[in-house]
């Protein structure tokens, strides 16, 4: 009984609404023929609102379509995941072959305004050691800088030295982790170099050929380089270091985030080239860096 009564009221309401719609439509038709000015006054705001709503819907649809297309393009353009060698700090596989430099006119490690600086080479390099107690136990993702932070430590040296960025290995590790350059349990993805260069205003390029002449020429012209090394005189696995210039006899100066001793030796450029990583992803194994104007 109650259900029948409810349905009756529902039917009456529907009829009432239809009547209003019908009467309203009839009045609009009458206005259109008898008083076009009133018709325009009534319908113009409605039409404008409808037009605005339509245009907004078209824009939203267009934006959604564009975003979807960009997302599909991004997914399609992604490279296969990088297979990176472990960059855990350890003892180099090979010893020797670096000549200790005793002449401070060539290079030395000095303190300037509380900052260790390697002199000589393309430009003075603000030196950071990943094993420094100030940050060695600080996080790099879920790893730590002392074990896996050669990438952000090398890039902190590069950014501070080329563009004067106010960074440390700890702040750089946080930045790199935030932007996806940390590789869990391995170190850093090779994209770290191009990513940090872009983020901190450095120019970055990789050579088409890996040879001694190219290395000497570009280091002598004022650039520095990030080198990804394989097992050899700098690491027993994988390792990021900086190449910071040449000596008068054509040897290479380095800034090794895992060794002050190796950073104060000169190295045969052919040895450097021979021990570059075999990887060829994201510009690896060698990236040349400079300030935004090439300085």
């Amino acid at each position: 009984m109650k259900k029948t009564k409810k349905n009756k009221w529902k039917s009456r309401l529907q009829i009432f609404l239809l009547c209003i719609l019908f009467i309203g439509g009839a009045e609009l038709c009458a206005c259109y023929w008898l008083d076009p000015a009133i018709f325009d006054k009534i319908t113009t705001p409605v039409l404008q609102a409808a037009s605005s709503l339509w245009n907004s819907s078209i824009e939203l649809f267009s934006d959604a379509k564009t975003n979807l297309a960009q997302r599909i393009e991004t997914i399609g353009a992604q490279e296969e995941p990088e297979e990176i060698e472990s960059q855990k700090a350890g003892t180099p596989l090979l010893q020797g072959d670096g000549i200790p430099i005793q002449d401070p006119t060539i290079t030395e490690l000095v303190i300037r305004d509380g900052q260790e600086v390697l002199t000589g080479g393309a430009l003075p390099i603000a030196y950071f050691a990943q094993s420094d107690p100030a940050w060695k136990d600080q996080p790099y993702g879920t790893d730590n800088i002392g074990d896996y932070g050669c990438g952000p430590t090398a890039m902190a040296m590069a950014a501070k030295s080329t563009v004067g960025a106010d960074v440390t290995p700890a702040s750089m590790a946080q930045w790199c982790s935030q932007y996806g350059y940390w590789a869990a349990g391995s170190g850093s993805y090779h994209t770290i170099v191009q990513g940090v260069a872009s983020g901190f205003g450095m120019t970055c390029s990789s050579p088409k050929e890996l040879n001694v002449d190219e290395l000497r020429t570009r280091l002598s012209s004022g650039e520095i380089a990030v080198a990804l090394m394989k097992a050899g005189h700098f690491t027993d696995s994988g390792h990021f270091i900086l190449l910071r210039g040449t000596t008068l006899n054509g040897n290479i100066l380095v800034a090794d985030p895992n060794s002050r001793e190796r950073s104060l030796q000169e190295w045969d450029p052919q040895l450097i080239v021979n021990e570059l990583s075999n990887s060829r992803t994201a510009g690896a194994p060698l990236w040349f860096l400079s300030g935004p104007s090439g300085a």
Side-chain angles (χ1 to χ4, degrees), residues 4-21:
T4 304
K5 188 174 182 181
K6 183 177 180 181
N7 290 338
K8 183 185 293 185
W9 280 106
K10 185 177 179 181
S11 299
R12 289 178 178 177
L13 179 61
Q14 290 173 341
I15 294 171
F16 178 71
L17 292 174
L18 287 172
C19 288
I20 291 175
L21 181 63

Side-chain angles (χ1 to χ4, degrees), residues 13 17 49 60-62 98 129 164 182 188 199 219 237 264 273 281 285 288:
L13 179 61
L17 292 174
L60 287 173
F61 177 76
S62 178
W182 162 65
S188 303
L219 291 177
S237 52
L264 290 170
V273 170
T281 62
F288 287 99

Side-chain angles (χ1 to χ4, degrees), residues 107-127:
T107 192
E108 61 179 338
L109 190 61
V110 299
I111 306 294
R112 295 178 180 172
D113 298 324
Q115 170 68 58
E116 286 188 292
V117 176
L118 286 164
T119 64
L123 72 162
I125 296 294
Y127 180 77

Side-chain angles (χ1 to χ4, degrees), residues 99-157:
I99 305 171
I101 299 174
Q102 307 297 331
D103 186 353
T105 63
I106 298 176
T107 192
E108 61 179 338
L109 190 61
V110 299
I111 306 294
R112 295 178 180 172
D113 298 324
Q115 170 68 58
E116 286 188 292
V117 176
L118 286 164
T119 64
L123 72 162
I125 296 294
Y127 180 77
F128 294 120
Q130 65 191 89
S131 60
D132 192 308
W135 45 68
K136 71 174 185 176
D137 296 321
Q138 293 295 308
Y140 184 29
T142 58
D143 298 317
N144 63 65
I145 294 171
D147 285 336
Y148 293 97
C150 63
T153 303
M155 295 313 298
M157 288 193 281

Side-chain angles (χ1 to χ4, degrees), residues 228-244:
L228 179 60
M229 310 304 289
K230 62 186 177 184
H233 290 82
F234 295 91
T235 180
D236 58 0
S237 52
H239 189 43
F240 285 99
I241 66 172
L242 291 188
L243 309 181
R244 58 186 179 92

